[in-house]
Amino acid sequence: MPEVRLENVSKLYKSEDKRDKRKYYAVRELSLKVEQGEFIFLIGSSGAGKSTLLKLMGGEIPPDRGTVYVNNLNVARMVGPWRARVARTFGIVNQECLLIRKRTIRDNLLLAASAVGMRRKAQKAVTKALGIVGMPDVEDCYPAELSIGECRRVELARALVSSPPILLLDELTANLDDDNIWDIMHLLNELNTRGTTIVMATHASQYVNIMRRRVVTL
């Protein structure tokens, strides 16, 4: 099972104002170690750097300074098959819904399976992932036919297609009612109990307190 470690990591962004040529820190000199089997909540105000941190951990963006390690391997230096191997380490749910509206749920998940090199067992993996999130009967549905809560579960299923050891979840429970939030938290707890490492950015502070897991505040 992989371990993720960030050492003095910084990420800078340019201002959206073209007249402003300065760069601003999204995260600055951040060090964090995520051990296998942990469940970590990232909390902080909007713009504090939670999404950036998750993207750094998953190798979606490189740090401007510092180093991100997965099992003591520098993610920024990985290329080719090694890069693909790192990608399969993480199941990612972004803050924005990325389901393709004109594709069925089955097709959305099959595309995700294909992206990580799963072809022969793709359909079996899709069926299994939807079963895990309690959505076994929606393969032929389109995203527009599902509620917001159901779509978020489908996105979680997409992240689980390759059975990744680590889940990186960005505001998975945003805009959901209390019943849906609690159902998802219970599901994540079950996944964590089975050994999946979870790092979750959230504003649902009341559930963070209830879950009693490690909290990282940005």
Side-chain angles (χ1 to χ4, degrees):
M1 295 288 285
E3 173 187 277
V4 182
R5 190 172 78 256
L6 292 81
E7 293 187 354
N8 299 315
V9 168
S10 297
K11 185 65 183 179
L12 294 124
Y13 286 114
K14 293 181 180 179
S15 171
E16 293 182 0
D17 186 346
K18 294 182 179 180
R19 296 170 297 179
D20 186 353
K21 296 184 179 181
R22 292 175 296 176
K23 292 185 177 180
Y24 299 88
Y25 284 99
V27 296
R28 185 172 185 176
E29 297 180 2
L30 188 149
S31 295
L32 176 66
K33 182 178 180 181
V34 180
E35 297 182 353
Q36 63 182 51
E38 279 201 279
F39 191 141
I40 297 175
F41 286 112
L42 301 180
I43 65 173
S45 60
S46 297
K50 300 186 296 298
S51 297
T52 299
L53 175 54
L54 290 175
K55 289 178 180 179
L56 287 164
M57 292 177 65
E60 292 185 74
I61 57 175
D64 292 307
R65 299 171 189 164
T67 311
V68 179
Y69 295 97
V70 176
N71 274 353
N72 295 318
L73 298 174
N74 186 340
V75 174
R77 293 182 178 178
M78 293 183 181
V79 295
W82 289 100
R83 189 74 177 179
R85 187 174 180 179
V86 170
R88 289 195 294 271
T89 300
F90 299 97
I92 298 171
V93 178
N94 291 288
Q95 190 169 355
E96 305 82 13
C97 179
L98 298 181
L99 295 176
I100 302 172
R101 296 179 63 83
K102 294 185 178 181
R103 296 288 189 97
T104 64
I105 300 304
R106 178 190 293 109
D107 288 343
N108 269 280
L109 269 65
L110 286 174
L111 284 171
S114 178
V116 294
M118 297 179 62
R119 295 182 179 178
R120 294 182 180 179
K121 298 181 180 180
Q123 180 56 54
K124 184 177 181 180
V126 167
T127 301
K128 178 181 178 181
L130 287 172
I132 290 173
V133 301
M135 302 282 288
D137 302 320
V138 300
E139 287 193 29
D140 295 321
C141 296
Y142 290 86
E145 298 177 286
L146 305 179
S147 67
I148 295 176
E150 289 171 333
C151 282
R152 296 307 275 172
R153 281 175 176 265
V154 168
E155 289 184 279
L156 179 57
R158 183 178 58 182
L160 291 168
V161 161
S162 61
S163 299
I166 302 175
L167 288 175
L168 303 178
L169 311 175
D170 194 354
E171 297 292 352
L172 177 62
T173 59
N175 302 316
L176 301 184
D177 60 32
D178 287 341
D179 288 340
N180 273 305
I181 294 175
W182 181 245
D183 286 345
I184 286 178
M185 289 296 188
H186 179 73
L187 173 58
L188 294 177
N189 188 61
E190 286 293 320
L191 290 168
N192 180 245
T193 300
R194 297 174 189 174
T196 302
T197 302
I198 297 174
V199 183
M200 180 179 184
T202 182
H203 281 99
S205 57
Q206 67 272 33
Y207 292 94
V208 172
N209 295 333
I210 292 171
M211 295 289 285
R212 294 182 179 275
R213 300 289 186 161
R214 181 182 172 192
V215 176
V216 174
T217 303
L218 299 180

